[in-house]
Amino acid sequence: MSNDAEKPEAEGAPPAAKNKKKKLIVIGAAAAAVLLGGGGGAYMMFGGEPAKAEAGAGHGDKAEAADDEAADEGEGEGGEGGHGGGEKEAPLDVPPLLVNLRTADGAPHFLKVHVMLVPGAKTTAASLKDSLPALLDAYQPFLRELRPEDLSGSAAVFRIKEELLIRSRATLGDGKVKEILVQDLIQQ
């Protein structure tokens, strides 16, 4: 009888092994879905967004070229027509800035800021583009001194806009930058 007792256990073992294999396959599929979802999310957050920013910059260049042509046509008709073209000029797309934030505990925190500059009455988007390295140099010290606590609440966006506008005017002079438009403000 001991042979009969061992025989059902031997027959019962393969279904248990099949159940373990099914569980392993289900767990593996779930893990693969989580990894693919996380990888896709990371790509969109880190890899996909700069491509959009570059594509947006390309569109901005086309808009600037169209505005430059409109300004040239307006100047040919008279001095006031050229001034009117400057008021309708498209904003200059500034490449996104990525900076480390100051933290007390030394943990890495990053800030990504993407802004557009609206040219003032005394300049054009093309001349702002030429001055962009000096502007970025003026923005960096302010952005690097920010703490994660400084970025909480709706007042944070207003403060950043005002501080960047003050630095723009100090670097280029009054009337060169009319407004700062915040496109993205991402903290990690």
Side-chain angles (χ1 to χ4, degrees):
M1 283 238 183
S2 63
N3 287 342
D4 290 336
E6 291 177 11
K7 195 172 187 180
E9 288 177 12
E11 290 175 6
K18 288 182 182 179
N19 286 339
K20 287 182 182 179
K21 286 183 182 179
K22 286 182 183 179
K23 286 181 184 179
L24 185 61
I25 290 172
V26 169
I27 290 171
V34 167
L35 287 175
L36 288 175
Y43 173 76
M44 293 299 291
M45 186 167 224
F46 295 113
E49 193 158 315
K52 289 180 184 176
E54 290 171 7
H59 293 349
D61 292 341
K62 290 177 186 175
E64 286 175 25
D67 285 340
D68 289 341
E69 289 175 15
D72 290 341
E73 290 174 8
E75 287 175 5
E77 295 172 6
E80 292 178 1
H83 181 68
E87 290 177 357
K88 295 180 183 179
E89 191 154 352
L92 173 67
D93 189 29
V94 177
L97 300 166
L98 182 64
V99 297
N100 294 327
L101 296 175
R102 258 183 61 208
T103 57
D105 61 356
H109 287 277
F110 300 98
L111 175 67
K112 182 178 180 182
V113 181
H114 181 208
V115 298
M116 296 180 89
L117 304 175
V118 178
K122 297 180 180 179
T123 191
T124 63
S127 64
L128 277 181
K129 191 171 187 176
D130 292 340
S131 303
L132 206 52
L135 281 175
L136 295 179
D137 186 55
Y139 294 164
Q140 289 286 340
F142 164 69
L143 293 172
R144 290 184 184 278
E145 286 298 315
L146 290 172
R147 297 179 308 256
E149 303 86 47
D150 296 335
L151 300 170
S152 61
S154 60
V157 175
F158 179 76
R159 178 177 177 228
I160 289 174
K161 285 176 67 165
E162 288 300 312
E163 290 291 337
L164 292 180
L165 189 58
I166 289 168
R167 282 159 176 72
S168 298
R169 290 178 178 161
T171 303
L172 301 177
D174 287 336
K176 300 280 184 163
V177 177
K178 181 179 178 182
E179 183 69 37
I180 305 277
L181 305 175
V182 176
Q183 300 300 302
D184 288 320
L185 185 65
I186 302 170
Q187 177 186 350
Q188 281 186 321

